[in-house]
Amino acid sequence: MVTSKLPVALPAHWFAEDGWRGTLIHAVDGRGHVVASVTVNEDVRGYLLGVQPVPAFHGRTQRYMRRGWRLCLYRDALAALMSAWRCWPGACRN
């Protein structure tokens, strides 16, 4: 597993790794199980929940441009992951 350098801090026990799809950020519960993930692709400047390739143009997503786009992209991806993780049945909130 190759750990990615992120412009944001992850909650305790969460981790990120680089793969062919982009950067994968995994939400981990109190028992060490991955309960949700988000895939961030800096090349297409987008993200999708889950472990999947991010298409160049998908839906009505925000376009990340100009100064600070990378930080905004990761903040939005983490917010979406936190929202999905909290909705997970039996999720242990850290």
Side-chain angles (χ1 to χ4, degrees):
M1 171 182 356
V2 177
T3 304
S4 178
K5 287 193 163 199
L6 303 178
V8 294
L10 297 178
H13 308 295
W14 289 23
F15 66 95
E17 61 183 332
D18 290 330
W20 66 271
R21 295 173 185 94
T23 301
L24 305 173
I25 302 173
H26 303 286
V28 180
D29 67 7
R31 293 172 286 175
H33 300 138
V34 174
V35 294
S37 300
V38 66
T39 305
V40 180
N41 188 320
E42 292 184 22
D43 293 335
V44 299
R45 296 186 182 194
Y47 68 91
L48 285 175
L49 288 174
V51 179
Q52 57 186 329
V54 180
F57 299 101
H58 56 281
R60 296 176 295 156
T61 60
Q62 177 180 344
R63 302 208 61 178
Y64 295 94
M65 303 170 77
R66 301 193 184 213
R67 195 177 290 178
W69 69 266
R70 189 170 180 259
L71 178 61
C72 290
L73 172 64
Y74 279 94
R75 281 185 182 167
D76 290 350
L78 272 181
L81 179 58
M82 287 179 184
S83 176
W85 179 63
R86 287 190 182 111
C87 296
W88 194 272
C92 175
R93 291 173 180 83
N94 292 341

